Amino acid sequence: MSPKTILVIGSSNTDMTAKTAELPRPGETVLGGVFTMGAGGKGANQAVAAQRLGGKVKFICKVGKDMFGDNSIAQYEKEGLDTSGILRSNLPSGVALIYVDSHAENCIVVASGANGDLTEDDIEKSRKDLESCDILLLQLESPIPSVLKAAKIAHQAGKTVVLNPAPACPLPEELFRNIDLFIPNETELSTFSGMPVTSEKEAEAAAKAMQAKGVGKLIVTMGSKGALICEGGPSVFVPAHKVKAVDTTAAGDTFCGALCVAISEGKSLKEAAEFACAASALTVQKMGAQNSIPYRKDLKF
């Protein structure tokens, strides 16, 4: 049996990261420590994570006709991703400015650039990929109409549609009805459900509210606590690994990519969440986005 294909559609950014003792307040200038520059963007991070962790991955994004775009595509090809669907825009490539403090907390400013130029026509041109993949993984750093169109095409073709709703923003109700697996964190789940999410009990109640909107299954990521799986029956909690976090930048993206790999291999949601938690635990122990994402050989699975 040939391996199942994971199609990731999303953003590609160049991440510029500076580590500081404290995050700057409005109007404040702080002196930072280490500066690094590397490939990032939620879509790219998740695609790279899935590829490194053993998936068969195709990545579709839009980059500028500039050195950042050229470098990104070269890096994705080096990772082994199928880049044949990547598009070029007349807008600059996306850039993210990331600040990380001594407590491993971060704040991020994203200049979307070409990411915001991914159109519904672009998605239509990718219809064959959407209809031939097994799993579609989406996020919200791309224009929402394009996200909706991709989800609808894949859902109607009977594919497993996975949405990581980050960064949270207003979404059409129609999108929820085309999602098989929803992976929000506590804050995002609260935003979309309109309910408080500060505990497992509240997360389960909010998850049920999302399922009433048409969402299939949910996995709620709860940071250093772990992940809550809601499939319709009693929820199941998968605890996180206890590690010393250095930088949480790509932890959620690693979780999503790892989860899709495990699902593509036929694992249950609980087994997939355990695999994803293990991968995320390795990610937070390193600085940066894609350079912190582990390889399959790094995991004891």
Side-chain angles (χ1 to χ4, degrees):
M1 181 183 295
S2 60
K4 292 186 176 180
T5 302
I6 301 168
L7 175 62
V8 182
I9 299 180
S11 57
S12 170
N13 291 323
T14 297
D15 287 349
M16 300 182 186
T17 304
K19 191 161 187 178
T20 68
E22 300 291 338
L23 298 177
R25 296 185 293 270
E28 181 183 24
T29 298
V30 298
L31 294 178
V34 177
F35 169 79
T36 58
M37 185 168 71
K42 296 193 72 62
N45 292 346
Q46 293 179 15
V48 168
Q51 182 72 28
R52 288 185 183 177
L53 293 167
K56 179 183 178 183
V57 187
K58 181 165 188 173
F59 181 40
I60 294 176
C61 65
K62 206 163 192 178
V63 299
K65 300 172 184 176
D66 50 32
M67 67 174 186
F68 293 120
D70 294 341
N71 291 342
S72 293
I73 293 174
Q75 180 61 32
Y76 303 148
E77 290 175 345
K78 184 178 179 181
E79 292 285 350
L81 290 168
D82 181 343
T83 62
S84 60
I86 292 182
L87 305 163
R88 304 300 286 253
S89 170
N90 290 324
L91 296 177
S93 296
V95 173
L97 306 176
I98 304 170
Y99 306 94
V100 182
D101 70 11
S102 58
H103 306 290
E105 294 298 328
N106 64 64
C107 64
I108 304 172
V109 176
V110 177
S112 296
N115 293 309
D117 193 32
L118 185 67
T119 66
E120 292 178 82
D121 285 342
D122 293 330
I123 298 300
E124 182 60 40
K125 292 173 184 176
S126 303
R127 179 178 285 272
K128 287 184 179 180
D129 290 321
L130 287 160
E131 293 178 338
S132 62
C133 74
D134 296 288
I135 299 170
L136 171 65
L137 176 56
L138 300 164
Q139 323 77 33
L140 300 180
E141 287 184 339
S142 301
I144 300 307
S146 299
V147 172
L148 174 59
K149 187 173 182 66
K152 287 176 66 177
I153 292 173
H155 186 71
Q156 290 168 2
K159 310 305 178 181
T160 298
V161 181
V162 182
L163 175 65
N164 172 221
C169 62
L171 294 177
E173 293 291 317
E174 184 181 9
L175 178 57
F176 298 129
R177 297 191 292 273
N178 288 278
I179 301 303
D180 298 292
L181 179 58
F182 196 59
I183 313 178
N185 63 23
E186 296 162 285
T187 301
E188 291 153 1
L189 179 57
S190 179
T191 297
F192 293 114
S193 67
M195 302 169 65
V197 180
T198 59
S199 67
E200 288 181 43
K201 185 176 180 180
E202 289 181 346
E204 185 172 12
K208 289 180 179 178
M210 292 305 302
Q211 288 173 323
K213 293 185 177 185
V215 170
K217 302 172 184 179
L218 292 90
I219 295 184
V220 186
T221 56
M222 305 181 76
S224 61
K225 291 178 284 188
L228 186 71
I229 304 169
C230 302
E231 297 189 71
S235 62
V236 176
F237 188 76
V238 175
H241 294 238
K242 302 301 180 184
V243 298
K244 181 176 175 55
V246 175
D247 180 6
T248 60
T249 301
D253 295 332
T254 298
F255 185 96
C256 293
L259 192 85
C260 287
V261 170
I263 292 171
S264 76
E265 295 175 352
K267 292 182 171 61
S268 68
L269 273 191
K270 182 176 184 294
E271 292 170 332
E274 290 171 343
F275 179 72
C277 281
S280 297
L282 293 178
T283 297
V284 301
Q285 296 179 69
K286 293 183 179 179
M287 281 285 294
Q290 285 174 32
N291 60 310
S292 70
I293 296 171
Y295 292 84
R296 185 66 171 255
K297 62 181 176 59
D298 299 324
L299 274 73
K300 297 179 181 179
F301 274 84

